């Protein structure tokens, strides 16, 4: 049903309105006005012919959607309830997770029969050229304004209505709740305040809006502290696919020695996904040099990250040529990869509507309909399931998890872009990265997927809540082993950003989930599965975060200089964090690099792998760490490494000695992989393990004594051929395992096989071999930590292990 309200005050004759305009300063400035006003107008936008009246300047949004207009600059005549106040009347404002809460999706007025309005204070004299209106964001309600009046003022007390020369001019609004509609003023109006008076509407009186206007005077000095001006001479405009490719080509031509343009692959529509590498040796991975990546445009309608990376390319190139020491150090010591458009198809869709006229989701998905951000393999479920079964790290590693087979099939339901991104991740040994997004102002770190707490954690959380304490147990379920490191990285960006840590701004769409810090755990804020961040952490060595640059997904071109200055220092600071922690090279005793060695840090249950050249990087917070390196066929090595607060990774190299474990595993596989009791030196032994170890040592001492006596007897008299055993094997040490029937109750736990004598090939180089048979019970993973009871001298072992161990020269 449509409703109608009358604007305030009687209508005035045209002559009286003109007089009031002159009195209130609402007349359009004359051409011969001050040069400062003309320069201000020219700075905002190019001229564009509209009709036979001649050129007309376009004015940008004043900042309702981007939140440059603060909450206390917006007022309304009334509100339906707190969650539908005037501050919710911003273009593209999104409702909270729960409908009808404190964060609903529009400004809505009371249902009383009185004149309603919403007002904006620009805090400066502004030339208004139009308004953009939108209905209420809701999955339940269908509310939008269909027509309205507009009024202006310089003091918020005396208001003049916009007329068509005869009466108040009626502007047509929306026909649905989602699509933005532009209402341009035939002639601009100069004022400080603007009001919109709804006349008719569908459903309830609810609306969202943006105002177009050019600043005529500087902002009043009281508010000038928030103004940001850039001094960099860069290409501040939106770039189409063709323009982006051309700009990257120009940057490469300007700095050919430090840049290289390449493609990750193609999108669903066949557009190439371009990347630019910036390094002192582009095209090659240098030993010991970490690799960093920034990606943007994973959602095609979130375009600020795309433009910031194009600006960053220009900035690094020009500052490197100009000798900026900070940029030179960054380029010479880091291999930087910048990908401005992971979803070029989506951008082309969003760009057709422009910066203010696409809705919240237009262009978000790929051409095939995938949300690329959360289309990656779900490795969280694989890891967490293995942890519940206690398979980590013996059967399932805690890092570099393989991709499940169902994702590798050519027929798998995976987007074309994701396949290209995964191949790119696996090809380059990235250490740190971030994807740039829009729609919020915060940094999100893994995990992004919410983990269901165990029953013990839920009970502990309930008890903590009853005592009024924090629910730490439930929180820890969403945290990675590198939680402290991720927080450090997130804070490094947020704290260097000019507005991200200002608590008075609040959240863009709902409450501030960051507590004023600008950082949040993804699973606590917006839980999702199969995200690029979680996949990168679990499948590769790269720590990846999501950076949400601002409330406006597609800011107006005039906002780009300000956004660049707001984000520039944060972008550089975050890149420098790739040089924090430890780094080094893992080689064997001959200096040959060892690839795929695992680097483990005590206290952090997540390792990293060495690259093909044996080099590795491990981002760590300042402190002292015990670092262990393990590799197939080599003896593990450990050392203590210190990390300082200053930027610059600590060198921590490792040299591994070869071991016989590779051959031992081959023999074990030939004999059915029967278990060998293994005592973890990092864990204290149980009393049962200690007794078994003592018995082994006692038995071996007896065996050595027996072998010594046999050797003495052999030297005293020659042995007969019938008593000589086969020659001892030359591979030392050797191991053999053989199945055995259940041991007889008369056999002790260390049953000795029939004695044999050794054949000595050299009287001066004598060795002896002992054959040890161990009986043990194989326990499942769920009983690994249980201590076996010892009922008496006999042990209830159910497996037999026979070792042939050579003790070397005697």
């Amino acid at each position: 049903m449509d409703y109608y309200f009358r604007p305030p005050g009687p209508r005035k004759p045209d002559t009286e309105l003109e007089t009031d305009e002159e009195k209130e300063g609402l007349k359009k400035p004359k051409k011969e006005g001050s040069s400062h006003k003309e320069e201000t107008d020219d700075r905002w936008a190019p001229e564009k012919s509209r009709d036979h009246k001649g050129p007309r300047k376009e004015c940008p949004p004043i900042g309702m959607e981007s939140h440059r207009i603060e909450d206390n600059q917006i007022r309304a005549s009334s509100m339906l309830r707190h969650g539908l106040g005037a501050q919710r009347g911003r273009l593209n404002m999104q409702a909270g997770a729960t409908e009808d809460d404190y964060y609903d999706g529009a400004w809505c007025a009371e249902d009383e029969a009185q004149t309603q309005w919403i007002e904006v204070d620009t805090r400066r004299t502004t030339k208004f050229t139009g308004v953009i209106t939108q209905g209420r964001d809701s999955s339940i309600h269908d509310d939008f304004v269909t027509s309205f009046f507009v009024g202006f003022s310089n003091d918020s007390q005396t208001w003049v209505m916009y007329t068509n020369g005869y009466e108040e001019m009626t502007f047509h609004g929306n026909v649905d709740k989602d699509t933005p509609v532009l209402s341009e003023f035939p002639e601009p109006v100069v004022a400080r305040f603007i009001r919109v008076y709804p006349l008719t509407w569908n459903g309830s009186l609810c609306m969202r809006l943006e105002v177009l206007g050019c600043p005529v005077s500087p902002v009043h000095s009281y508010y000038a502290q928030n103004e940001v001006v850039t001094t960099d001479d860069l290409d501040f405009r939106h770039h189409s696919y063709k323009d982006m490719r051309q700009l990257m080509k120009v940057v490469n031509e300007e700095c050919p020695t430090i840049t290289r343009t390449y493609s990750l692959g193609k999108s669903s529509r066949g557009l190439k996904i371009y990347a630019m590498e910036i390094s002192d040796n582009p095209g090659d991975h240098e030993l010991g040099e970490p690799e960093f990546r920034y990606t943007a445009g994973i959602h095609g309608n979130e375009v600020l990250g795309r433009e910031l990376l194009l600006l960053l390319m220009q900035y690094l190139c020009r500052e490197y040529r100009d000798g900026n020491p900070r940029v030179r150090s960054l380029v010479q010591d880091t291999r930087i990869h910048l990908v401005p458009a992971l979803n070029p198809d989506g951008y082309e869709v969003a760009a057709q509507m422009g910066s203010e006229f696409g809705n919240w989701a237009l262009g978000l998905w790929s051409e095939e309909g995938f949300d690329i951000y959360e289309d990656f393999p779900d490795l969280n479920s694989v890891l967490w399931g293995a942890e519940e079964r206690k398979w980590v790290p013996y059967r399932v590693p805690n890092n570099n998890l393989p991709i499940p087979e169902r994702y590798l099939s050519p027929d798998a339901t995976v987007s074309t872009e994701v396949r290209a991104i995964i191949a790119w991740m696996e090809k380059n040994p990235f250490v740190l990265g971030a994807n740039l997004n829009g729609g919020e102002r915060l940094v999100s770190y893994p995990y992004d997927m919410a983990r269901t707490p165990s029953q013990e954690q839920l009970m502990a959380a309930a008890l903590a809540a009853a005592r009024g304490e924090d629910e730490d147990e439930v929180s820890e379920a969403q945290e990675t082993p590198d939680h402290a490191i991720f927080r450090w990285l997130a804070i490094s960006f947020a704290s260097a950003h000019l507005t991200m840590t200002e608590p008075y701004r609040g959240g863009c769409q709902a409450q501030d989930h960051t507590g004023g810090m600008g950082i949040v755990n993804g699973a606590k804020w917006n839980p999702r599965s199969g995200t690029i961040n979680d996949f990168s952490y679990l499948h590769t060595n790269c720590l990846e975060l999501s950076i949400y640059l601002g409330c406006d997904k597609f800011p107006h071109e005039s906002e780009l200089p300000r956004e660049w200055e707001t984000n520039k220092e944060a972008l550089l600071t975050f890149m420098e964090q790739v040089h924090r922690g430890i780094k080094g090279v893992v080689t064997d005793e001959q200096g040959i690099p060892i690839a795929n060695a695992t680097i483990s840090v005590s206290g952090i249950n997540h390792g990293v792998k060495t690259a093909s050249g044996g080099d590795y990087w491990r981002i760590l917070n300042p402190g002292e760490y015990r670092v262990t390196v393990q590799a197939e066929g080599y003896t593990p090595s450990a050392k203590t490494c210190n990390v300082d607060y200053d930027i610059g990774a600590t060198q921590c190299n490792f040299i591994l000695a070869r071991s016989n474990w590779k051959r031992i595993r081959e023999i074990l596989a030939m004999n059915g992989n029967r278990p060998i009791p293994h005592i973890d030196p990092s864990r204290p032994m149980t009393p049962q393990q200690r007794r078994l170890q003592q018995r082994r040592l006692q038995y071996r001492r007896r065996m050595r004594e027996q072998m010594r006596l046999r050797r003495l007897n052999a030297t005293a008299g020659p042995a007969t051929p019938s008593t000589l055993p086969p020659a001892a094997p030359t591979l030392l040490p050797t191991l053999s395992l053989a199945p055995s029937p259940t041991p007889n109750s008369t056999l002790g736990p260390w049953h000795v096989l029939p004695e044999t004598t050794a054949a000595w090939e050299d009287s001066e180089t004598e060795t002896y071999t002992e054959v040890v048979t161990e009986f043990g019970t194989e326990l499942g993973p769920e009983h690994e930590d249980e201590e076996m009871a010892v009922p008496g001298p006999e042990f209830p072992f159910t497996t037999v292990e026979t070792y042939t161990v050579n003790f070397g020269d005697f």
Side-chain angles (χ1 to χ4, degrees):
M1 179 182 295
D2 289 348
Y3 297 88
Y4 178 84
F5 277 154
R6 190 73 187 157
R11 297 180 181 173
K12 299 180 181 180
D14 294 342
T15 55
E16 186 179 350
L17 176 61
E18 184 176 349
T19 303
D20 286 347
E21 288 177 345
E22 292 175 350
K23 181 174 63 178
E24 297 295 332
L26 300 180
K27 290 281 286 183
K28 180 180 177 182
K30 296 181 179 180
K31 293 292 184 180
E32 58 269 22
S34 66
S35 59
H36 171 75
K37 294 180 180 179
E38 292 294 326
E39 291 173 0
T40 303
D41 292 345
D42 291 340
R43 187 180 73 245
W44 281 87
E47 294 184 352
K48 180 178 180 181
S49 297
R50 294 299 185 112
D51 50 34
H52 63 281
K53 295 181 180 180
R56 174 174 174 172
K57 294 183 176 64
E58 287 186 343
C59 287
I62 63 173
M64 289 283 285
E65 182 179 7
S66 67
H67 285 234
R68 191 155 54 89
I69 295 294
E70 299 174 3
D71 286 351
N72 56 12
Q73 293 177 252
I74 312 172
R75 296 195 309 137
S77 55
S78 65
M79 61 181 177
L80 190 58
R81 55 181 174 79
H82 183 74
L84 294 165
Q87 294 75 22
R88 305 298 296 173
R90 302 174 183 271
L91 188 71
N92 283 321
M93 177 63 71
Q94 300 297 293
T98 304
E99 286 277 347
D100 300 328
D101 62 3
Y102 285 111
Y103 302 96
D104 218 316
W107 161 67
C108 293
E110 292 178 345
D111 292 331
E112 299 178 3
Q114 67 178 34
T115 300
Q116 305 289 352
W117 48 262
I118 182 169
E119 170 190 318
V120 181
D121 175 12
T122 63
R123 292 177 176 170
R124 71 172 87 194
T125 303
T126 303
K127 183 174 71 174
F128 296 104
T129 61
V131 294
I132 302 172
T133 59
Q134 192 178 31
R136 178 181 180 180
D137 175 57
S138 173
S139 59
I140 303 173
H141 308 284
D142 191 29
D143 305 331
F144 53 90
V145 170
T146 56
S147 65
F148 56 91
F149 289 157
V150 180
F152 305 92
S153 175
N154 275 334
D155 58 8
S156 78
Q157 300 299 318
T158 305
W159 291 87
V160 176
M161 306 304 295
Y162 196 96
T163 71
N164 58 11
Y166 302 96
E167 60 181 358
E168 288 87 350
M169 185 170 180
T170 301
F171 294 92
H172 296 288
N174 300 90
V175 295
D176 61 55
K177 62 184 180 181
D178 294 320
T179 306
V181 173
L182 170 64
S183 297
E184 290 186 292
F185 305 147
E187 290 294 332
V189 177
V190 178
R192 172 175 169 175
F193 298 87
I194 182 172
R195 273 186 184 179
V196 173
Y197 298 88
L199 292 175
T200 59
W201 55 89
N202 183 81
S204 298
L205 198 170
C206 300
M207 71 182 307
R208 296 174 283 174
L209 78 157
E210 179 64 88
V211 179
L212 305 182
C214 298
V216 175
S217 66
V219 70
H220 291 274
S221 59
Y222 177 79
Y223 307 106
Q225 58 184 350
N226 293 329
E227 290 296 294
V228 177
V229 179
T230 185
T231 58
D232 296 320
D233 182 20
L234 304 174
D235 186 10
F236 294 108
R237 63 188 177 91
H238 286 298
H239 295 78
S240 66
Y241 180 80
K242 181 179 179 180
D243 294 337
M244 177 188 71
R245 185 174 56 186
Q246 179 63 27
L247 185 144
M248 296 174 73
K249 179 180 179 182
V250 170
V251 172
N252 178 246
E253 291 173 350
E254 289 182 1
C255 300
T257 59
I258 64 167
T259 62
R260 178 179 71 99
T261 302
Y262 66 97
S263 172
L264 278 63
K266 291 186 177 181
S267 68
S268 305
R269 292 172 54 185
L271 299 179
K272 290 185 177 181
I273 304 175
Y274 284 108
M276 172 163 282
E277 176 191 343
I278 302 178
S279 172
D280 59 344
N281 188 22
D284 297 314
H285 170 72
E286 297 183 60
L287 189 69
E289 185 173 273
E291 306 214 11
F292 176 92
R293 69 171 181 248
Y294 270 137
T295 59
I298 199 166
H299 295 146
N301 61 339
E302 298 170 8
V303 304
L304 179 55
R306 171 194 183 101
E307 299 305 328
L308 287 180
L309 292 190
L310 294 177
L311 292 169
L312 184 60
M313 295 175 191
Q314 302 172 60
Y315 177 81
L316 293 177
C317 171
R318 295 179 185 181
E319 292 298 308
Y320 185 88
R321 289 191 309 171
D322 294 342
N324 184 322
R326 182 185 187 185
V327 172
R328 278 190 166 269
S329 175
L330 196 58
V331 172
Q332 291 171 357
D333 298 336
T334 319
R335 192 182 184 199
I336 304 167
H337 302 257
L338 306 178
V339 187
L342 286 176
N343 182 8
D345 299 346
Y347 174 82
E348 295 302 310
V349 173
Q352 289 178 0
M353 296 301 295
S355 63
E356 310 302 326
F357 304 105
N359 59 35
W360 191 253
L362 184 65
L364 185 147
W365 296 281
S366 70
E367 179 72 12
E368 298 171 313
F370 292 98
D371 183 346
I372 299 175
Y373 182 88
E374 49 189 279
D375 191 41
F376 288 80
D378 174 17
L379 300 182
N380 302 63
S381 300
V382 176
L383 177 65
W384 295 341
E387 288 179 346
E388 292 174 358
R389 294 171 174 82
K390 301 186 184 299
W391 289 353
V392 178
Y394 303 106
R395 296 180 62 178
V396 176
N398 59 24
N399 64 90
N400 293 89
L401 273 69
I403 300 176
E405 290 294 331
R406 62 180 179 275
Y407 287 97
L408 300 176
S409 169
D411 299 329
T413 309
V414 181
S415 68
T416 304
E417 292 82 359
V418 165
R419 293 182 186 273
I421 295 170
I422 291 177
W424 178 58
M425 287 179 172
E426 294 176 339
K427 181 179 179 181
N428 299 282
F430 291 112
V431 180
L432 178 63
N435 48 85
L436 308 184
N437 306 279
E440 264 295 351
R441 189 189 297 108
L442 53 83
V443 181
S444 170
Y445 56 87
Y447 287 122
D448 287 332
M449 183 175 177
R451 184 176 187 178
T452 304
S454 63
Q455 291 296 327
E456 292 79 4
Q457 290 175 326
L458 291 174
M459 292 179 62
L463 293 174
R467 295 192 299 265
E469 301 174 356
D470 294 334
E471 301 177 6
D472 294 333
E473 293 292 335
V474 176
S475 298
E476 290 178 2
Q478 322 303 337
E479 298 173 357
T480 67
D482 286 294
H483 179 72
I485 299 167
F486 273 119
R487 285 181 58 85
W488 176 291
L489 295 171
I491 289 174
S492 71
F493 186 95
S495 60
H497 192 276
L498 294 189
T499 62
M500 196 169 284
T501 55
E502 294 179 345
Y504 70 88
R505 293 182 180 273
C508 290
Q509 314 301 331
Q511 76 268 30
D512 183 6
H513 297 273
T514 72
M517 296 185 63
I519 68 170
V520 67
N521 173 253
K524 296 178 184 177
W525 168 53
N526 185 17
R528 291 173 284 183
S529 62
T531 66
I532 185 174
N533 293 348
D534 289 359
F535 175 80
S536 178
Y537 180 66
L538 296 177
H539 183 64
T540 72
N541 293 338
C542 184
L543 304 183
E544 177 110 358
L545 295 84
S546 292
I547 299 174
Y548 292 81
L549 300 165
C551 305
D552 191 349
K553 288 186 173 184
F554 202 142
H556 191 271
E557 197 168 272
S558 61
E559 298 280 349
L560 295 180
R562 180 183 295 102
E563 292 291 353
W564 165 248
E565 201 63 31
T566 300
N567 289 276
K568 178 175 67 175
E569 178 60 29
L571 290 169
L572 296 174
T573 299
F574 186 78
M575 293 169 67
E576 292 170 336
Q577 302 309 305
V578 76
H579 295 286
R580 185 174 297 282
I582 61 174
K583 66 178 182 179
V585 180
V586 180
T587 63
D588 63 10
E589 294 174 313
Q590 285 72 43
I592 300 174
I594 301 175
N596 292 320
T598 301
I599 314 297
S600 303
V601 178
S602 179
I604 302 177
N605 190 28
H606 183 82
V608 298
K609 297 282 190 180
T610 56
S612 58
D615 46 348
Y616 77 92
W617 307 264
R618 184 62 165 97
I619 298 179
L620 295 170
N621 288 341
E624 183 178 273
Y625 299 92
R626 188 65 176 173
V627 183
T628 303
V629 178
Q630 295 177 308
E632 182 77 19
Y634 295 88
T635 302
S637 176
K639 65 171 62 174
T640 300
C641 304
N642 293 300
V643 178
D644 298 328
Y645 281 89
D646 297 333
I647 291 293
T650 301
Q651 193 78 24
C652 226
N653 297 327
F654 290 86
I655 299 176
L656 303 185
R658 291 190 176 275
S659 71
N660 294 326
W661 279 108
K662 184 176 181 180
R663 177 57 180 161
I664 291 173
R665 288 192 180 95
E666 293 176 355
I667 297 174
L668 287 173
M670 295 172 59
N671 290 272
N673 287 320
R674 298 189 179 277
I676 296 178
H678 172 68
I679 299 176
D680 187 351
S682 65
R683 298 173 59 184
M685 288 189 297
T686 64
Q688 176 67 14
Q689 291 173 330
R690 190 175 291 108
R691 286 193 294 271
L692 291 176
Q693 185 184 44
Q694 291 174 353
R695 294 194 178 195
R696 289 190 186 98
L697 295 176
Q698 292 174 0
Y699 175 76
R700 288 174 181 172
R701 282 195 294 269
R702 291 197 302 270
M703 288 296 298
R704 289 191 181 97
E705 181 62 21
Q706 292 177 12
M707 294 302 297
R708 188 181 67 84
L709 294 175
R710 290 198 190 103
R711 187 187 62 178
L712 292 176
N713 294 334
T715 56
T720 60
S722 60
T723 62
L724 290 177
T730 57
L731 178 62
L732 301 178
T734 60
L735 172 66
S736 64
L737 297 176
S740 174
T742 303
N744 190 290
S745 59
T746 59
L747 297 177
W750 293 96
H751 172 64
V752 182
L753 297 182
E755 296 183 359
T756 59
T757 57
W760 313 108
E761 297 182 359
D762 193 307
S763 61
E764 296 183 2
T765 306
E766 297 178 338
T767 63
Y768 71 90
T769 302
E770 65 182 47
V771 180
V772 183
T773 302
E774 296 182 3
F775 299 87
T777 300
E778 181 179 357
L779 298 178
E782 66 276 8
H783 300 291
E784 285 183 345
D785 296 331
E786 296 182 6
E787 182 178 343
M788 292 186 301
V790 184
E794 300 292 340
F795 294 91
F797 297 112
T798 58
T799 61
V800 179
E801 301 165 4
T802 303
Y803 304 84
T804 303
V805 183
N806 190 298
F807 282 85
D809 297 348
F810 199 87

